[in-house]
Amino acid sequence: MNFIHDDRDFDALLRIVADKRKIAVGLVEKDYWVTHVLWALQRCGFDMWFKGGTSLSKGFSLIERFSEDLDLKLEPGRVQGIPPVTDWKREGTKATKTRETHLRAIAGAIDIPGAVVKIDPDLADEHWRSVNVRASYPGKHLESLSGVLKPFVLLEIGSARVTPSIACDMTSFVHEELADQNQLDIYDDNRPKQVRCVHPLVTLLEKLDALVRRVPNHDREPATFVRHYEDAARIIADAEKLPGLEGYKAPRELAHEMFREKQIRALPTADHPAFLIPADERGAAIRDAFTAIGPMFWGPRRTIDECTAAIRGWLESPAIRAQS
């Protein structure tokens, strides 16, 4: 096949895009490979659902931030030889082994042209409710990702809530540049089409729940959760423009359902300490970590105080305010 990354001028193209958009060339390169990976998963024949931060940027253009990973649910679809899983909860030996066999088979069926695929040995869930898979690509600018993003595409694959979802087409900065030059049709089209992306309000509630759980836990490094503040604020800012929540009259109904089904641990409230950054050592560490992730963004940022104010305002609104 004739892929863009196989062109001898691919590196020059990356540099042109990086210069035009004022983005580090390594980030442009990884953005292309993230797009290629999603396309390849569709090509393999999997039924795929996409969620998390990368879906917010790739699927809905809600955030202008590069994400660390692809949060996915993959089902066999047209892929043969994947043993089924009927129990994603129990931790017994038999249930765990069944999930391990299933997820190893999923990982083994992933074929990404130009990349090397293997299970990440350091990040596997011991009960095999999920698996992390590395797609290592032949990047020429991986060193520029140091301290910003991983030098590979990480797939986080497991069982997850995937409803409601919206089908979205996706592209990359590289594809957009070639389209502007009317040169895109000389390559095989490796842009993923009609990817089922979990509704951003599901992601919003999951991110708020993560903040509620992690901020008070001083064993949790702020770097592992501060991105959720700005992601949440961005979703809230565009909440009225989002597709409707099919089957729900208001976001609060979705929140109560996710709570009942134990997909979030608590119904978030505006007065929770996670949304009021304290003026102490923990608060200072959170603010420092929020500033440190700046290189992950290609657009203007909000301050952490603007983000927490937006979150509190949304949690106090009639759309979400908990009704007992």
Side-chain angles (χ1 to χ4, degrees), residues 56 62-63 199-201 203-205 207-208 211 228-242 251 268 275 302 306-317 319-320:
L56 297 178
L62 287 172
I63 64 173
H199 197 289
L201 290 179
T203 303
L204 171 60
L205 290 166
K207 286 181 174 292
L208 295 181
L211 289 170
H228 297 321
Y229 283 111
E230 195 152 358
D231 289 357
R234 296 283 180 177
I235 298 170
I236 290 166
D238 283 339
E240 293 184 359
K241 302 176 185 177
L242 295 175
F275 312 128
R302 297 186 175 199
E306 290 171 338
C307 294
T308 53
I311 292 168
R312 293 195 304 271
W314 187 71
L315 291 174
E316 290 172 342
S317 71
I320 188 61

Side-chain angles (χ1 to χ4, degrees), residues 164-300:
S165 60
I166 299 101
C168 302
D169 294 340
M170 299 181 186
T171 188
S172 73
F173 294 131
V174 167
H175 288 94
E176 289 176 353
E177 175 65 24
L178 288 173
D180 289 344
Q181 297 177 11
N182 294 316
Q183 294 182 1
L184 193 54
D185 59 356
I186 67 176
Y187 302 100
D188 287 304
D189 190 353
N190 59 347
R191 292 171 296 175
K193 306 289 198 305
Q194 295 295 286
V195 178
R196 286 171 287 195
C197 293
V198 176
H199 197 289
L201 290 179
V202 174
T203 303
L204 171 60
L205 290 166
E206 290 175 340
K207 286 181 174 292
L208 295 181
D209 185 62
L211 289 170
V212 165
R213 290 184 286 108
R214 296 177 186 179
V215 172
N217 182 356
H218 286 223
D219 291 333
R220 281 282 191 171
E221 290 294 330
T224 65
F225 60 74
V226 289
R227 65 189 183 280
H228 297 321
Y229 283 111
E230 195 152 358
D231 289 357
R234 296 283 180 177
I235 298 170
I236 290 166
D238 283 339
E240 293 184 359
K241 302 176 185 177
L242 295 175
L245 271 173
E246 185 176 348
Y248 303 89
K249 293 180 180 178
R252 65 173 170 267
E253 292 186 3
L254 173 64
H256 278 267
E257 180 180 281
M258 292 176 68
F259 176 65
R260 289 194 303 271
E261 295 182 1
K262 298 182 180 180
Q263 293 159 351
I264 57 175
R265 296 189 186 180
L267 293 167
T269 58
D271 60 354
H272 192 278
F275 312 128
L276 297 162
I277 308 300
D280 58 13
E281 185 176 346
R282 178 65 166 173
I286 291 172
R287 290 179 183 276
D288 288 345
F290 186 86
T291 300
I293 63 172
M296 297 171 68
F297 291 78
W298 69 83

Side-chain angles (χ1 to χ4, degrees), residues 12 31 75 143 189:
D31 174 63
E75 291 188 349
E143 71 285 348
D189 190 353

Side-chain angles (χ1 to χ4, degrees), residues 19-202:
D19 183 63
K20 283 187 176 181
R21 294 184 177 266
K22 308 303 180 188
I23 303 171
V25 66
L27 295 178
V28 174
E29 184 178 47
K30 185 166 186 178
D31 174 63
Y32 168 82
W33 280 96
V34 163
T35 307
H36 179 69
V37 166
L38 288 168
W39 168 85
L41 292 171
Q42 284 188 318
R43 177 175 174 265
C44 288
F46 292 108
D47 283 342
M48 178 169 66
W49 291 263
F50 188 22
K51 59 182 296 188
T54 314
S55 75
L56 297 178
S57 61
K58 283 287 182 194
F60 300 101
S61 299
L62 287 172
I63 64 173
E64 296 177 314
R65 175 178 69 80
F66 292 98
S67 188
E68 282 281 18
D69 50 57
L70 304 181
D71 195 349
L72 303 160
K73 178 179 179 180
L74 298 181
E75 291 188 349
R78 303 190 310 275
V79 181
Q80 301 297 312
I82 308 294
V85 171
T86 58
D87 185 350
W88 287 94
K89 294 183 179 180
R90 284 190 292 182
E91 298 180 355
T93 302
K94 183 177 180 180
T96 297
K97 186 62 179 178
T98 298
R99 291 192 295 268
E100 179 183 358
T101 302
H102 171 84
L103 290 171
R104 284 191 179 277
I106 289 279
I110 295 173
D111 177 26
I112 302 170
V116 176
V117 178
K118 67 176 183 179
I119 291 177
D120 191 312
D122 300 324
L123 301 173
D125 172 11
E126 65 176 320
H127 298 296
W128 286 89
R129 294 191 184 92
S130 64
V131 66
N132 293 325
V133 176
R134 291 188 184 191
S136 299
Y137 57 91
K140 294 185 177 180
H141 305 281
L142 298 179
E143 71 285 348
S144 70
L145 299 178
S146 178
V148 181
L149 295 176
K150 299 179 179 73
F152 49 84
V153 179
L154 183 68
L155 314 181
E156 294 186 347
I157 303 168
S159 180
R161 183 190 178 102
V162 293
T163 57
S165 60
I166 299 101
C168 302
D169 294 340
M170 299 181 186
T171 188
S172 73
F173 294 131
V174 167
H175 288 94
E176 289 176 353
E177 175 65 24
L178 288 173
D180 289 344
Q181 297 177 11
N182 294 316
Q183 294 182 1
L184 193 54
D185 59 356
I186 67 176
Y187 302 100
D188 287 304
D189 190 353
N190 59 347
R191 292 171 296 175
K193 306 289 198 305
Q194 295 295 286
V195 178
R196 286 171 287 195
C197 293
V198 176
H199 197 289
L201 290 179
V202 174

